[in-house]
Amino acid sequence: MNDLDALQRDALAAIEAAEHLDDLDEVRVRFTGKRSDLTAIQKGMRDLEPEERKARGQALNAFREAFQAAFDARYEQLQGAALRERLEAERLDLTLPPRRVPPGRPHLLTQVEQEMLDVFIGMGFRVAEGPEAESGSYNFDLLNIEPDHPARQEMDTIYVDGFDDVVLRTHTSPVQSRVMTTSEPPIAVVCPGRTYRADAVDATHSPVFSQIEGLYVAEDVHMAHLRGTLLAFARAMFGADREIRLRPSFFPFTEPSAEVDVSFDGPGGNHGWLEILGAGMVDPNVLTFCGIDPDRYSGFAFGIGIERVAMLRHQVRDIRELFEADARFLARF
Ligand code: PHE
């Protein structure tokens, strides 16, 4: 019996000494596995006398019970410890301040475009859009710009290769033609979008720029409606004390036409006027081309450069800053 007592002492001591669940498993294999002393003792049983075998059997059972009880107790302890260790390792410190991710924001041009549209939407205009690759018919013909009209050269048109009569629109006015050919007065739309001209890049020119076109066609629309609309716009965008001034000008699609300036008060008593847009009364030819009766209806139209408004509003000296995406510039707005 002494061998079993000794075995039990060793086994319980090994269980007690196990520090991880892995060690404990190893102890189980060592003391109860196929190649263990226990298995050898069990095998030796068949050679014993019945009397002896019975006593030996009881002793073996006692060993197994003692082993199992010690094993289970240790298992529970070690498992609890393993769980605590894992929870400790995966612990989240909810009191740590979060890392700051700077929020993005719309580009200055988008912000200014939205502000401008808001002003016109507030007056009752709705937004209409058209394609940037446009037919010469909408961009020129329906707008009273004949094929050999100098305006076609002046606008330095970019033609689209491989297509008959497709241009990158030189202004947002073709959206006027589109709206007028597909709807009945009263019409009140503003049309924002990109426009293209084959201009060399410098501080005030870019081959890609953007405009907002405005169009109002109804009965009895006259020049004072145009002036009032543009004055309200200028005051909303630049300040309640602003004035506007209309200078005679020429556009093939408006008659009469005007260049519109907004007043400014600079530093040191420096007063002056800055040109912000082109406008006029829709030429009766344009109404006719677009299927609207010029004897019944009249209208006004205007086209505003968004870059120009953004530059005036925010003292941007060079138009290239609006397209270069320099983070230091963008972060100012
Ligand atoms: N389309 C003109 C331009 O781009 C601007 C304009 C629009 C003028 C509407 C009058 C009326 O220069």
Side-chain angles (χ1 to χ4, degrees):
M1 293 293 174
N2 281 342
D3 56 344
L4 263 180
D5 285 344
L7 193 60
Q8 180 162 336
R9 254 198 325 276
D10 289 353
L12 299 192
I15 288 173
E16 210 47 52
E19 298 216 5
H20 295 283
L21 289 171
D22 290 350
D23 303 340
L24 193 59
D25 201 51
E26 193 249 311
V27 169
R28 185 183 56 74
V29 172
R30 177 145 54 93
F31 285 93
T32 67
K34 268 193 203 132
R35 269 180 237 121
S36 63
D37 291 351
L38 183 66
T39 306
I41 292 170
Q42 260 168 334
K43 279 183 188 155
M45 295 263 287
R46 5 169 217 255
D47 306 329
L48 297 178
E49 296 302 318
E51 269 309 295
E52 227 179 327
R53 192 186 301 159
K54 191 176 167 208
R56 193 70 164 157
Q58 283 168 348
L60 269 177
N61 279 341
F63 170 82
R64 274 203 210 89
E65 271 166 35
F67 184 92
Q68 196 60 46
F71 182 93
D72 289 348
R74 189 69 185 146
Y75 185 89
E76 215 166 292
Q77 284 174 352
L78 291 180
Q79 204 191 28
L83 182 62
R84 275 193 300 280
E85 203 173 291
R86 212 181 104 201
L87 289 178
E88 192 60 38
E90 292 176 4
R91 180 193 179 108
L92 295 178
D93 183 351
L94 299 179
T95 66
L96 277 179
R99 206 182 303 156
R100 221 179 98 81
V101 179
R105 70 189 104 182
H107 187 275
L108 174 61
L109 278 179
T110 308
Q111 292 180 33
V112 171
E113 178 184 297
Q114 289 302 330
E115 274 180 73
M116 292 167 70
L117 290 177
D118 275 354
V119 172
F120 290 116
I121 289 167
M123 295 185 213
F125 289 83
R126 69 176 182 83
V127 175
E129 288 178 298
E132 293 176 22
E134 182 59 282
S135 77
S137 155
Y138 286 119
N139 194 81
F140 295 121
D141 304 322
L142 293 174
L143 291 170
N144 204 35
I145 311 175
E146 287 153 20
D148 50 359
H149 195 284
R152 293 211 185 190
Q153 271 73 57
E154 271 164 37
M155 281 185 174
D156 291 323
T157 308
I158 298 173
Y159 292 86
V160 177
D161 256 4
F163 290 91
D164 240 9
D165 201 36
V166 176
V167 302
L168 295 186
R169 65 182 175 194
T170 56
H171 48 181
T172 42
S173 304
V175 189
Q176 282 193 38
S177 348
R178 285 176 173 271
V179 172
M180 283 192 281
T181 48
T182 55
S183 45
E184 293 290 316
I187 293 169
V189 289
V190 277
C191 321
R194 289 225 166 97
T195 51
Y196 301 84
R197 290 181 200 179
D199 276 332
V201 178
D202 64 24
T204 55
H205 292 86
S206 160
V208 186
F209 56 104
S210 16
Q211 295 186 330
I212 291 180
E213 188 82 5
L215 174 71
Y216 179 49
V217 180
E219 286 180 9
D220 301 320
V221 177
H222 51 79
M223 200 88 179
H225 295 124
L226 172 62
R227 196 177 198 291
T229 301
L230 294 178
L231 179 61
F233 165 74
R235 290 183 170 172
M237 285 305 287
F238 296 103
D241 53 346
R242 301 302 179 114
E243 294 298 334
I244 61 167
R245 166 174 98 169
L246 276 65
R247 283 178 291 110
S249 183
F250 174 80
F251 297 103
F253 31 91
T254 47
E255 181 58 36
S257 303
E259 218 82 72
V260 179
D261 302 337
V262 61
S263 66
F264 73 89
D265 288 314
N270 187 9
H271 305 293
W273 297 95
L274 287 165
E275 184 191 321
I276 56 164
L277 59 93
M281 302 308 293
V282 180
D283 191 301
N285 274 346
V286 173
L287 294 176
T288 305
F289 295 156
C290 294
I292 292 174
D293 178 3
D295 294 326
R296 181 163 174 209
Y297 297 107
S298 53
F300 67 71
F302 54 85
I304 316 175
I306 301 177
E307 285 79 5
R308 189 157 175 81
V309 171
M311 289 169 78
L312 292 175
R313 270 275 304 256
H314 298 283
Q315 288 82 46
V316 176
R317 295 266 168 71
D318 193 319
I319 197 170
R320 287 170 285 203
E321 298 214 81
L322 295 173
F323 302 111
E324 277 168 1
D326 182 326
R328 289 162 301 183
F329 173 80
L330 298 177
R332 284 171 42 202
F333 308 103

